[in-house]
Amino acid sequence: MSLAPGGGRSGGDGGTRAVEHLRSVTAALGMAGVGPHVTLNIFQDFDGEDCAPRPERVGERDRMLDEVTRWATALRPLRAPRPGAGDGDRPALHDPVASAGARAAVEMLVAELNAAAEDQDADRYDGMFAADVLWGSPHGRTLAGYDALNAVHRRLMARPVVPASRYEIVQTLAPAPGVAVAHVRRRPVADDGKDHPLSAEMAMYVLIERNDHWWLAGGQNTPITEAS
């Protein structure tokens, strides 16, 4: 049972006793009953169907609501779901509304990677990389920042040490507007256009939209077999 604050309103002496009895009920339910409560008279504090409390009752009402607010603020951490408490507390992050934009961003990135790989153009390959991009290599090396990463890609593409590659989208996730997460497979391609016998790689890419432009915030490459 989640803890929650509760305030009472009664309509006279009998109602006051009822509120006092209700305190024990709410306590058993895990609710925190507040002290102040409002006593309203159906003939003096209502105007037709609307509640129109007398001035002295307004003060009682405000004191009760202030106390409810204070307790609600204090109890908020106790009401928060526990991380990993179970599948019922675990959200699905994909946002269908943002899905199309995220997919389009990943498709744009993959198109640029394919074109740049074919032309061995490092600057185009890194064209969508943010200034502070984080990058992880298949062998555990990490790089931070466009300048460091672009320098490595220029050296690799100036004297290719791996065959040409073809990039393919495996799946995408749009956890929020302006955010795209994707698995992208890199397939080495032999001179005859067929898959190269070398192992392929699976990349995890994270793209962020900023000022109507999508940027790669992070990437990680992992070697895979074609059966993966």
Side-chain angles (χ1 to χ4, degrees), residues 19-212:
V19 168
E20 292 304 320
H21 175 69
L22 185 61
R23 292 185 191 280
S24 62
V25 176
T26 57
L29 294 174
M31 300 176 67
V34 302
H37 77 273
V38 186
T39 302
L40 299 178
N41 187 293
I42 192 170
F43 299 106
Q44 296 175 308
D45 297 304
F46 288 85
D47 180 12
E49 297 182 355
D50 297 328
C51 182
R54 289 163 288 167
E56 59 270 26
R57 301 309 184 204
V58 170
E60 292 178 358
R61 178 202 63 191
D62 291 346
R63 284 192 297 274
M64 182 189 73
L65 293 178
D66 288 345
E67 191 73 1
V68 169
T69 300
R70 187 172 72 89
W71 272 96
T73 301
L75 294 173
R76 182 177 293 118
L78 298 178
R79 297 195 305 271
R82 292 174 292 125
D87 291 340
D89 298 323
R90 196 180 307 281
L93 299 180
H94 186 67
D95 182 354
V97 176
S99 178
R103 178 76 184 191
V106 177
E107 289 175 349
M108 182 188 309
L109 173 66
V110 168
E112 288 298 292
L113 295 179
N114 278 323
E118 183 176 349
D119 296 338
Q120 295 295 294
D121 185 342
D123 291 342
R124 183 172 185 178
Y125 190 92
D126 300 341
M128 291 179 63
F129 290 22
D132 53 356
V133 62
L134 299 180
W135 191 266
S137 77
H139 306 293
R141 183 185 179 188
T142 59
L143 290 171
Y146 171 86
D147 290 339
L149 188 55
N150 182 249
V152 171
H153 286 165
R154 284 190 174 200
R155 290 197 300 271
L156 291 176
M157 291 188 178
R159 299 177 61 184
V161 295
V162 296
S165 300
R166 180 171 64 251
Y167 293 84
E168 303 169 346
I169 300 173
V170 176
Q171 57 191 354
T172 62
L173 176 73
V179 180
V181 182
H183 280 134
V184 174
R185 179 185 286 110
R186 182 186 70 81
R187 294 184 184 275
V189 180
D191 292 338
D192 59 3
K194 297 181 180 180
D195 286 347
H196 196 279
L198 290 177
S199 65
E201 290 178 351
M202 183 70 72
M204 169 74 81
Y205 292 140
V206 179
L207 294 106
I208 303 294
E209 187 179 25
R210 188 66 55 83
N211 299 326
D212 297 324

